[in-house]
Amino acid sequence: MALRTTKTSLMLAMKVWDRSTRLFHWLTLACMVTSYVSISLADGANAAVWMRVHVVSGETMLGLLIYRLIWGVIGSETARFGSFLRNPVVALRSLAKWRETSGDVEVGHNPPGGWMVVLLLGLLLAQVGTGLFANDDGATKGPLMRFVSKSTSDMLSDLHGAIFNVLMGAAAVHVVAITLYLVVKHQNLITPMVTGKKRLPAAMPAPRLASPLAAIGTLLVAVVVTLAVALL
């Protein structure tokens, strides 16, 4: 069910993003930066060290993605895929109105933002998935490389690099969109992802936030699955 509101004169600060969703967002960004920096520096005498950093970053990203996929089903209302994935036509119509100045009356992701989340998650899954089978023609091999041929691993290694470029492009579009929403529409989408709170009409009900115990349980599952994959 889409979470939407209408304007009203009384606005109150409302908790819309739970802690784990916010941590996922910023830790994912940190992993992306770490992966880029580490692979860029993986040359010369310290290549092995930086490749190890790159692998750990990728494995951490795998755990984050497993967590987010589970959380998108059982987590807080605003984190659930079913709450923010709307008809693509609605998203396109919303994009067509990007020049209009209006207050932010979306509880969670707006229609285009919801589809951007899916796109970024899909690219991240493809990036991490290909990395599990990749190799650098040296000492570094993905934990699942032994389940495919060397030629297949080489192909997936090339794809791993290509997907990262597409991912960077999508991330850049995401940043530009957030900036335009701030400058043109006067909607600050960054602060709520830091504080968890957004000023919304007081007449609307607050979204349901999941229990911290559910977050802990989800984290344990993600850690176990990630370790199982990494140690294969």
Side-chain angles (χ1 to χ4, degrees), residues 12-17 107 196-207:
L12 296 176
M14 186 181 300
K15 187 69 172 292
V16 296
W17 298 116
V107 180
K197 295 182 179 180
K198 181 186 287 189
R199 291 187 65 81
L200 292 168
M204 73 149 305

Side-chain angles (χ1 to χ4, degrees), residues 8-211:
T8 184
S9 58
L10 181 59
M11 307 289 285
L12 296 176
M14 186 181 300
K15 187 69 172 292
V16 296
W17 298 116
D18 60 66
R19 183 177 288 106
S20 63
T21 300
R22 288 179 281 137
L23 281 173
F24 168 81
H25 183 278
W26 298 114
L27 288 175
T28 296
L29 175 60
C31 283
M32 289 176 63
V33 172
T34 301
S35 294
Y36 176 78
V37 171
S38 59
I39 200 66
S40 299
L41 296 176
D43 190 20
N46 295 320
V49 174
W50 285 112
M51 282 305 300
R52 183 55 191 163
V53 171
H54 188 76
V55 170
V56 171
S57 177
E59 292 171 348
T60 302
M61 182 69 80
L62 173 62
L64 288 170
L65 289 170
I66 293 171
Y67 183 95
R68 186 63 183 90
L69 291 176
I70 299 174
W71 201 241
V73 177
I74 70 169
S76 299
E77 193 170 4
T78 48
R80 294 192 178 195
F81 300 120
S83 74
F84 61 76
L85 282 183
R86 305 176 197 170
N87 190 314
V89 175
V90 174
L92 291 174
R93 287 174 179 171
S94 180
L95 278 177
K97 299 178 181 178
W98 71 270
R99 294 185 182 88
E100 297 181 8
T101 301
S102 59
D104 187 359
V105 291
E106 295 285 350
V107 180
H109 294 296
N110 59 39
W115 285 104
M116 176 56 77
V117 169
V118 172
L119 173 62
L120 290 172
L121 286 177
L123 288 171
L124 286 168
L125 284 168
Q127 177 71 11
V128 172
T130 53
L132 293 175
F133 297 91
N135 74 91
D136 66 346
D137 285 322
T140 305
K141 300 177 182 178
L144 303 184
M145 180 190 169
R146 62 191 181 90
F147 295 105
V148 298
S149 65
K150 178 61 166 57
S151 60
T152 299
S153 176
D154 289 340
M155 181 270 291
L156 291 173
S157 299
D158 293 337
L159 190 58
H160 184 66
I163 292 173
F164 188 78
N165 293 330
V166 178
L167 179 59
M168 290 298 97
V173 171
H174 181 57
V175 172
V176 170
I178 290 174
T179 302
L180 287 175
Y181 265 79
L182 179 62
V183 175
V184 179
K185 299 179 75 67
H186 306 300
Q187 295 182 14
N188 187 340
L189 305 179
I190 301 174
T191 300
M193 194 54 71
V194 175
T195 65
K197 295 182 179 180
K198 181 186 287 189
R199 291 187 65 81
L200 292 168
M204 73 149 305
R208 182 197 64 79
L209 299 182
S211 164

